[in-house]
Amino acid sequence: MNQILDAILAPDSTPEDFAALTVPDSYRAVTVHKDEAGMFEGLSTREKDPRKSLHVEEVPVPELGPGEALVAVMASSVNYNSVWTSIFEPLPTFGFLERYGKLSPLAKRHDLPYHVIGSDLAGVVLRTGPGVNAWKPGDEVVAHCLSVELESADGHDDTMLDPEQRIWGFETNFGGLAEIALVKSNQLMPKPRHLSWEEAAAPGLVNSTAYRQLVSRNGAGMKQGDNVLIWGASGGLGSYATQFALAGGANPICVVSSDKKAEICRRMGAEAIIDRSAEGYKFWKDEHEQDPREWKRLGKRIRELTGGEDVDIVFEHPGRETFGASVYVTRKGGTVVTCASTSGYKHEYDNRYLWMSLKRIVGSHFANYREAWEANRLIAKGKIHPTLSKTYRLEDTGQAAYDVHRNLHQGKVGVLCLAPEEGMGVRDEEMRAKHIDAINRFRNE
C-alpha cells in the first residue's frame, strides 16, 4: 500500500506508473461479521453501538471482473446506511449479499462471512477490468453508489428501475470504507479538482439522493419560486437539499432541532427557519396516536414564514415521526417526496388530506448515473458545496458511525482511508480560493 500511496502523492506519476504498480493481496477495511449479526438482540435501536460491531481488519483483494475497477481509496464518509449496517437494522445486510451471490459466479464473490461497508469514496483508479474504456489507472475519481446489471429492459429508461439495482457497500460487498474498493466502472465520476480527498468523498450518496429527490423529474421536479419544507435541513441529506433549493430559485423552509443548526442554515443562505425543539413541536401524543393540532400549528408557522403560502414540496426522510405532519402541511396539488425513514418505516397519515387535496407522495431512492453525474458536476462547478464537518481516521470509523447514529454530527462526517492527513488532493487552488468559505461552512463550528 505504501507504493500505491507514494504514486498518488507524487506530482508526476503517469498512468503507466499506476498500471505498473503491484496490487497487494490484502487491504484494511471496515467490516461487520455475519456471526455477530445477533449481538444487539434485545436492545433498543438507540442502545445499539456501532463501535462494538464495526471492525478494521485485513481482507483479501477481490478478483477484478469485466466492467469493473479497483480503486485506491483516499477518503470515504459515513452515511445512514453505514449506521443501519452496523446495528443490523432493519435486518442484517448478509441477506443482501447471499441473494446477490446467487445471481452469477462473479456475483458469488460478494457472499462472504464479512461485509466491507461504505457507499462513498474519493480515490485513484488502480486497475480496470475487460470492457472498461472510459477510465484508466491513475484517474482521480469519486464513485456513486448505484450498482446495476442492466440485463433487463426495465432499467434502460431509468437505471434505478433495474430489477438488479443495488446500493454498493450496503447491498453489495467491497465498499468504500477501506483502502481499496471494487466498483463497476459506471459508478465512476471525475473528482472535483478544487476539493481535498475527504471533501470530494463526502457529497456522493447524499448529494445524488437529494438531487433526484428534489430536482429531477423522477422526484419532485422543483421549480423556481417553490416553497420547499426541508426536514433536518442542516444534516447530511438536508444540507444538500437546502443548497439545491437556494441554487434553483426556490424558497427553503428549513426545519432544524437547535439554534446551532439554525445558524448553519443561515450561513447557507436560508432565511425561513423553524427550530422544532425551541418551538416545542410534538407530533405524537404517545407511540400510537398523532396530534393533528401540532400539524396545524406547523402549517400556521410555515404560512407566517412564506407570506401566507403553503409548501409546494416536502423533502421527507425522517419518516414515521414527521410523515403525518408532512402530508398535512403540503399545499393542494403539492408533493411529498420521501426517501429513507430514519425515525421509523411504518408511516401513518390522514388520507383525507392526501386524496381530497390531490397531493402526491413520491418515493425516491438514490439516483441513476445521469442524475449522480449532474449532481457531481454541480459540485465540480462550485454551485453546490460539500458539507463536511469532521473527519475521522479509518480506525475510528466505529466512533464516526456512533456519532451519526446519535445525531451528534452536522452535515457529513468523513473518513481518511489511505490519505495520511486532511487537505490533500487539491488540484485547482484558484477555484478553491473562490469557494473556501462555503467549503468550510460546516467546519467553522
Side-chain angles (χ1 to χ4, degrees), residues 372-411:
W373 189 281
E374 289 296 321
N376 184 63
R377 178 171 172 263
L378 291 171
I379 296 280
K381 285 181 170 289
K383 304 294 185 183
I384 303 294
H385 305 285
T387 61
L388 186 69
S389 60
K390 189 174 181 181
T391 303
Y392 298 75
R393 299 178 308 155
L394 190 67
E395 295 86 349
D396 299 323
T397 302
Q399 183 64 49
Y402 176 85
D403 289 353
V404 174
H405 180 37
R406 300 300 292 269
N407 199 29
L408 302 175
H409 69 303
Q410 308 286 349

Side-chain angles (χ1 to χ4, degrees), residues 355-366:
W355 107 68
M356 295 179 72
S357 294
L358 294 88
K359 302 176 186 182
R360 298 186 306 148
I361 296 174
V362 176
S364 184
H365 183 41
F366 189 59

Side-chain angles (χ1 to χ4, degrees), residues 42-346:
L43 298 178
S44 68
T45 296
R46 186 172 177 81
E47 292 174 310
K48 298 175 182 179
D49 190 341
R51 295 172 297 187
K52 296 179 179 179
S53 58
L54 293 179
H55 306 272
V56 179
E57 60 185 333
E58 287 278 330
V59 298
V61 173
E63 173 192 358
L64 181 62
E68 296 180 340
L70 284 175
V71 179
V73 184
M74 295 298 280
S76 183
S77 75
V78 172
N79 293 290
Y80 265 101
N81 69 10
S82 306
V83 176
W84 295 331
T85 303
S86 71
I87 62 175
F88 307 105
E89 285 193 12
L91 44 83
T93 52
F94 293 97
F96 302 145
L97 304 185
E98 290 166 8
R99 285 192 291 275
Y100 190 27
K102 295 175 182 177
L103 184 65
S104 69
L106 201 61
K108 181 66 177 174
R109 295 169 300 166
H110 293 259
D111 184 8
L112 295 168
Y114 60 88
H115 185 182
V116 180
I117 71 169
S119 298
D120 282 325
L121 71 73
V124 177
V125 175
L126 290 178
R127 293 286 188 276
T128 58
V132 177
N133 301 304
W135 306 97
K136 63 184 181 300
D139 285 344
E140 296 187 349
V141 295
V142 293
H144 70 78
C145 63
L146 174 61
S147 173
V148 288
E149 306 301 319
L150 292 182
E151 292 189 300
S152 167
D154 293 350
H156 282 261
D157 182 43
D158 176 6
T159 51
M160 284 301 301
L161 299 180
D162 183 29
E164 299 297 337
Q165 172 267 317
R166 293 174 174 85
I167 298 299
W168 160 71
F170 179 58
E171 295 167 301
T172 77
N173 218 322
F174 316 122
L177 284 164
E179 293 176 330
I180 291 177
L182 178 72
V183 299
K184 294 181 183 294
S185 64
N186 58 13
Q187 291 177 241
L188 296 176
M189 304 180 293
K191 171 191 170 290
R193 290 174 51 80
H194 67 295
L195 299 181
S196 67
W197 295 111
E198 65 277 8
E199 291 161 354
L205 185 151
V206 286
N207 186 48
S208 301
T209 299
Y211 182 91
R212 180 183 175 104
Q213 189 174 354
L214 193 57
V215 180
S216 169
R217 65 173 182 265
N218 291 314
M222 183 191 74
K223 64 183 186 301
Q224 289 181 335
D226 278 348
N227 293 311
V228 183
L229 185 70
I230 301 173
W231 294 102
S234 72
L237 189 60
S239 58
Y240 290 95
T242 300
Q243 291 186 75
F244 281 127
L246 291 165
N251 174 37
I253 297 92
C254 298
V255 184
V256 295
S257 59
S258 71
D259 184 62
K260 183 177 182 181
K261 294 180 178 181
E263 180 56 32
I264 289 175
C265 292
R266 293 187 189 99
R267 291 208 297 262
M268 284 190 284
E271 297 178 357
I273 298 170
I274 297 173
D275 184 340
R276 57 182 298 192
S277 296
E279 298 181 28
Y281 291 101
K282 294 183 179 179
F283 300 122
W284 289 80
K285 296 177 181 178
D286 53 43
E287 61 179 304
H288 303 293
E289 185 180 3
Q290 296 190 66
D291 189 348
R293 293 173 302 179
E294 289 292 89
W295 303 348
K296 294 176 182 179
R297 186 161 74 93
L298 177 64
K300 180 181 178 181
R301 180 73 176 112
I302 290 169
R303 287 188 290 274
E304 290 173 355
L305 293 169
T306 60
E309 297 179 341
D310 292 323
V311 291
D312 301 275
I313 299 167
V314 178
F315 186 88
E316 247 291 343
H317 53 98
R320 178 176 174 80
E321 183 182 350
T322 59
F323 205 82
S326 293
V327 170
Y328 178 82
V329 301
T330 306
R331 74 163 178 85
K332 190 171 185 176
T335 301
V336 178
V337 60
T338 178
C339 80
S341 296
T342 53
S343 68
Y345 298 90
K346 295 184 178 180

